[in-house]
Structure formats: C-alpha cells, structure tokens
C-alpha cells in the first residue's frame, strides 16, 4: 500500500471528514492505475465545515483511464459504501478528464464525494492551474502520444453520451443534496442555479422516458410532444408544479421535488427503481438528517 501524505492536510484542517477522506484515499491508491491523488476545494484550503464535500482529483495512467472510469461505480459501492451509482458531474469545470459525484454515508451523515478522473499526462498542467493538496505522487509510465489522444477522446465521448433515465434520476438525488447544503449556508445565488438545473433534469428525464427520439432541443415543443397522451399530460403537470414555485427554494421545496421525481419515475420508467429500493429509503433518511 503506498504512503499517503495526509499530515499537512490534517494540520491545516482537522476536518470531521478526515477519517472518510483517508479511507477513500486508501481505496483509490490501491489501484496500480492511479498515479496521483490530490484533494481540492475547501478541504485543500483549510475552510471546510461539516457539510463540505470530499473533493478528489485522481490521476490515472492514460491507457487505463477507460477501464478505471467504467469500474468506478463498483469500486465506490464496494470500498466506500456509496448509496447509488455515480452522477456524471455537469457542474464541474472541464479540466481534461471526467467528473463523477457519489453519495457516501459516514458517521450518520450523507457525504458528497467528488472524483475528477484525469489522464496522468494532464496532471502537470492541471496542478499548475488548480490549487490542490497532494496526497499521492507516483511516477507514471511514459504515455505514447496515441495513448494520450485515446484517453482524451474517451473523456470527451464519455461526457457526451446521452444520459439514461437512471442517470437523470440519480442527478435529481444528487442535486437535492447539493441544494440542501446551499440552503443551510445561505448561498442563494448558487441555490438558484442548482434549482434550475434540477428542473432541467426533470424535463430531460421526461423526454428520455417518453420522447427519446425527439427532434427538438431543450424545452422547445415540449408541450406539443407530451400533450397527446395521459401520461404525458401528467408529466406536464409535474413540470408546471416544478417551475411555478419559488426561484430560490427552501428545504421543503427540495423535499417536495424529490417526492415528485419519485412519483414521475414510477409513472414513466419504473424499471429505474429496480434494485434501488433500500438505497432510496436510506437516502430519504439521510436527507432528513441534513
């Protein structure tokens, strides 16, 4: 097992997330494909609070990037106890890799774990532009130009994949956790932005379930496409309820949005919930505790 450099981070922060961070770092560093492990965000800057997410940048051998990324759901489920598969992060800045968000229970709380997976060949330029605390630094194998190009191509194609109903459902659950944190911190502008993202995810989920071959972009012609069937009209009612509320939500609004999404999924694509029943019960419990 490689040695992780946690001492400076501990002295700077003494965060309550440190045991979880250490456990996750051990699990990620155990892979020979991992060349670098860095922490960024509030934990790296010494400004973390109990609600702060654990924000990793993981450097991976260029040739191993596709296999490592595709295996991440299993790794986080088995090694970290993640409640749900990861969400392809649409908020994180593009740093040349792939961002994933997982929800992990620890010490009675639900933690947001942000993993940004980047080809090892991109790590030097990333470290020059993004403030990070370095936990692991292993000399990567020299990547031929074609391997680096393949890794970059994989990252671009991975992020461009059409999202499935499962992914869009998980996006709702992750955004609800983010919104609860914004509300507790009084971050009204960020809450406004993420509330809009949640409504857009609802629209995207409805279109993925009921109009997967739609020729229209975004919100265009949505009513015309959905009004033709009873289930479509019910979904339009869900959207009307979503967009008719406050611009900046309260915690109760977020909870109502989660319940509305669950009802929508049961109506339009109930197979999404197969195998997730226990996870959803646990998720609701943790959300109540936030």
């Amino acid at each position: 097992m490689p040695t992780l450099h946690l001492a400076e981070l501990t002295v700077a922060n003494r965060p309550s997330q440190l045991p979880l961070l250490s456990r996750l770092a051990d699990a990620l560093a155990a892979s020979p494909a991992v060349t670098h492990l860095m922490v960024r965000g509030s934990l790296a800057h010494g400004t973390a609070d109990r609600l702060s997410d654990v924000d990793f940048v993981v450097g991976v051998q260029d040739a191993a990037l596709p296999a490592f990324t595709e295996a991440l759901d299993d790794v986080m489920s088995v090694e970290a106890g993640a409640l749900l598969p990861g969400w392809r992060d649409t908020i994180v800045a593009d740093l040349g890799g792939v961002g994933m968000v997982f929800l992990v229970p620890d010490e009675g709380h639900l933690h947001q774990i942000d993993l940004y997976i980047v080809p090892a060949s991109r790590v030097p330029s990333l470290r020059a532009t993004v403030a990070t605390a370095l936990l692991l630094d292993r000399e990567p194998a020299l990547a031929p130009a074609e391997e680096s190009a393949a890794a970059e191509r994989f990252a671009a194609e991975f992020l461009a994949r059409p999202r499935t109903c499962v992914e869009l459902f998980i996006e709702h659950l992750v955004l609800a956790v983010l919104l609860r944190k914004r509300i507790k911190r009084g971050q009204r502008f960020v809450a406004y932005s993420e509330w809009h993202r949640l409504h857009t995810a609802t629209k995207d989920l409805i279109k993925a379930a009921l109009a997967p071959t739609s020729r229209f972009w975004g919100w265009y012609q949505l009513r015309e496409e959905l009004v033709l069937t009873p289930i479509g009209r019910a979904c339009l009612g869900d959207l009307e309820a979503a967009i008719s509320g406050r611009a900046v939500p309260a915690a109760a609004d977020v909870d109502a949005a989660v319940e509305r999404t669950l009802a929508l999924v049961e109506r339009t694509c109930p197979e999404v919930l197969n195998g997730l029943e226990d996870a959803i019960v646990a998720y609701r419990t943790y959300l109540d505790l936030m």
Side-chain angles (χ1 to χ4, degrees), residues 190-205:
V190 185
Y192 170 85
S193 172
E194 291 173 358
W195 192 226
H196 172 70
R197 286 180 184 274
L198 191 143
H199 297 338
T200 300
T202 302
K203 177 266 296 178
D204 290 342
L205 175 57

Side-chain angles (χ1 to χ4, degrees), residues 176-236:
V177 172
L178 269 63
L179 279 160
R180 280 295 207 99
K181 289 197 296 185
R182 307 309 180 198
I183 292 164
K184 276 210 164 192
R185 289 172 172 163
Q187 296 172 313
R188 289 174 53 81
F189 292 126
V190 185
Y192 170 85
S193 172
E194 291 173 358
W195 192 226
H196 172 70
R197 286 180 184 274
L198 191 143
H199 297 338
T200 300
T202 302
K203 177 266 296 178
D204 290 342
L205 175 57
I206 293 169
K207 288 189 72 168
L210 300 183
T213 59
S214 172
R215 297 180 294 108
F216 300 102
W217 183 84
W219 297 77
Y220 287 97
Q221 298 296 314
L222 192 64
R223 182 173 297 280
E224 288 80 357
E225 286 189 308
L226 298 180
V227 76
L228 301 176
T229 64
I231 195 170
R233 291 192 289 274
C235 289
L236 285 172

Side-chain angles (χ1 to χ4, degrees), residues 23-153:
R23 178 161 60 87
L24 291 170
D26 283 338
L28 293 167
S31 171
V34 173
T35 61
H36 299 83
L37 197 55
M38 296 158 277
V39 176
R40 63 174 181 160
S42 57
L43 282 169
H45 299 142
T47 58
D49 60 22
R50 185 190 67 76
L51 296 172
S52 295
D53 56 306
V54 178
D55 199 346
F56 282 111
V57 177
V58 186
V60 176
Q61 297 279 8
D62 289 35
L65 184 76
F68 184 89
T69 304
E70 299 288 3
L72 205 51
D73 279 343
D74 290 337
V75 170
M76 290 299 292
S77 174
V78 172
E79 299 293 340
L83 280 184
L84 300 159
W87 169 55
R88 268 187 284 168
D89 194 343
T90 59
I91 298 175
V92 67
D94 182 5
L95 303 174
V98 173
M100 300 292 291
V101 178
F102 294 87
L103 300 178
V104 173
D106 184 70
E107 297 293 328
H109 299 293
L110 193 61
H111 294 273
Q112 175 191 338
I113 311 299
D114 294 352
L115 300 181
Y116 196 86
I117 317 303
V118 64
S121 59
R122 293 293 300 263
V123 168
S125 60
L126 185 149
R127 293 195 67 200
T129 56
V130 179
T132 60
L134 184 65
L135 301 186
L136 175 69
D137 186 1
R138 286 194 287 222
E139 187 67 28
L142 183 62
E146 58 269 23
E147 287 185 1
S148 297
E152 292 184 13
R153 189 164 56 251

Side-chain angles (χ1 to χ4, degrees), residues 239-259:
L239 277 177
E240 288 285 358
I243 68 174
S244 299
R246 287 178 278 204
V248 180
D253 299 318
V254 177
D255 294 345
V258 170
E259 297 306 316

